[in-house]
Tab-separated table of all heavy atoms in Angstrom:
chain	number	residue	atom	x	y	z
A	8	LEU	N	1.601	6.960	-6.756
A	8	LEU	CA	0.517	7.824	-7.193
A	8	LEU	C	0.786	9.294	-6.901
A	8	LEU	O	0.343	10.161	-7.650
A	8	LEU	CB	-0.792	7.389	-6.521
A	8	LEU	CG	-1.343	6.032	-6.949
A	8	LEU	CD1	-2.546	5.667	-6.094
A	8	LEU	CD2	-1.731	6.043	-8.427
A	11	PRO	N	5.798	13.374	-7.399
A	11	PRO	CA	5.798	14.136	-8.661
A	11	PRO	C	6.644	13.484	-9.743
A	11	PRO	O	6.344	13.626	-10.929
A	11	PRO	CB	6.373	15.500	-8.242
A	11	PRO	CG	6.120	15.589	-6.777
A	11	PRO	CD	6.215	14.189	-6.256
A	43	THR	N	19.279	-8.806	-31.543
A	43	THR	CA	20.072	-8.830	-32.779
A	43	THR	C	20.192	-10.243	-33.319
A	43	THR	O	20.049	-10.482	-34.529
A	43	THR	CB	21.468	-8.242	-32.520
A	43	THR	OG1	21.344	-6.920	-31.981
A	43	THR	CG2	22.281	-8.186	-33.807
A	84	LEU	N	14.032	-1.589	-29.487
A	84	LEU	CA	14.018	-0.162	-29.810
A	84	LEU	C	13.254	0.630	-28.753
A	84	LEU	O	13.678	1.716	-28.351
A	84	LEU	CB	13.382	0.051	-31.187
A	84	LEU	CG	14.175	-0.491	-32.389
A	84	LEU	CD1	13.366	-0.333	-33.666
A	84	LEU	CD2	15.514	0.226	-32.507
A	175	SER	N	-4.187	2.387	-36.236
A	175	SER	CA	-2.864	2.892	-35.844
A	175	SER	C	-2.615	4.266	-36.452
A	175	SER	O	-2.093	5.172	-35.778
A	175	SER	CB	-1.773	1.914	-36.286
A	175	SER	OG	-1.904	0.682	-35.613
A	179	ILE	N	-2.087	7.845	-34.389
A	179	ILE	CA	-0.963	8.765	-34.584
A	179	ILE	C	-1.472	10.165	-34.905
A	179	ILE	O	-0.949	11.171	-34.396
A	179	ILE	CB	-0.037	8.241	-35.693
A	179	ILE	CG1	0.632	6.934	-35.245
A	179	ILE	CG2	1.027	9.271	-36.047
A	179	ILE	CD1	1.431	6.254	-36.326
A	205	ILE	N	-9.807	-2.464	-31.071
A	205	ILE	CA	-8.753	-3.383	-31.504
A	205	ILE	C	-8.936	-4.747	-30.849
A	205	ILE	O	-8.752	-5.791	-31.482
A	205	ILE	CB	-7.368	-2.793	-31.167
A	205	ILE	CG1	-7.090	-1.567	-32.043
A	205	ILE	CG2	-6.269	-3.839	-31.358
A	205	ILE	CD1	-5.812	-0.844	-31.694
A	206	GLY	N	-9.309	-4.761	-29.562
A	206	GLY	CA	-9.536	-6.031	-28.879
A	206	GLY	C	-10.668	-6.833	-29.494
A	206	GLY	O	-10.560	-8.055	-29.667
A	237	ALA	N	0.905	-23.809	-31.792
A	237	ALA	CA	1.196	-23.509	-30.389
A	237	ALA	C	2.146	-22.317	-30.279
A	237	ALA	O	1.963	-21.442	-29.422
A	237	ALA	CB	1.785	-24.736	-29.695
A	267	PRO	N	14.842	7.352	-13.762
A	267	PRO	CA	14.057	8.358	-14.506
A	267	PRO	C	12.749	7.829	-15.097
A	267	PRO	O	12.114	8.514	-15.873
A	267	PRO	CB	15.010	8.737	-15.635
A	267	PRO	CG	15.755	7.474	-15.926
A	267	PRO	CD	15.947	6.812	-14.581
A	301	TYR	N	11.476	-29.351	-48.020
A	301	TYR	CA	10.265	-29.118	-48.785
A	301	TYR	C	10.356	-29.850	-50.127
A	301	TYR	O	11.438	-30.240	-50.577
A	301	TYR	CB	10.058	-27.627	-49.035
A	301	TYR	CG	9.726	-26.858	-47.782
A	301	TYR	CD1	10.727	-26.382	-46.941
A	301	TYR	CD2	8.412	-26.615	-47.415
A	301	TYR	CE1	10.429	-25.679	-45.787
A	301	TYR	CE2	8.096	-25.908	-46.262
A	301	TYR	CZ	9.111	-25.443	-45.457
A	301	TYR	OH	8.811	-24.755	-44.312
A	322	PRO	N	1.192	-26.464	-85.509
A	322	PRO	CA	-0.252	-26.361	-85.806
A	322	PRO	C	-0.916	-27.712	-85.740
A	322	PRO	O	-0.327	-28.736	-86.033
A	322	PRO	CB	-0.247	-25.782	-87.223
A	322	PRO	CG	1.080	-26.153	-87.790
A	322	PRO	CD	2.051	-26.141	-86.654
Side-chain angles (χ1 to χ4, degrees):
L8 292 174
T43 304
L84 293 174
S175 296
I179 294 173
I205 291 175
Y301 291 85

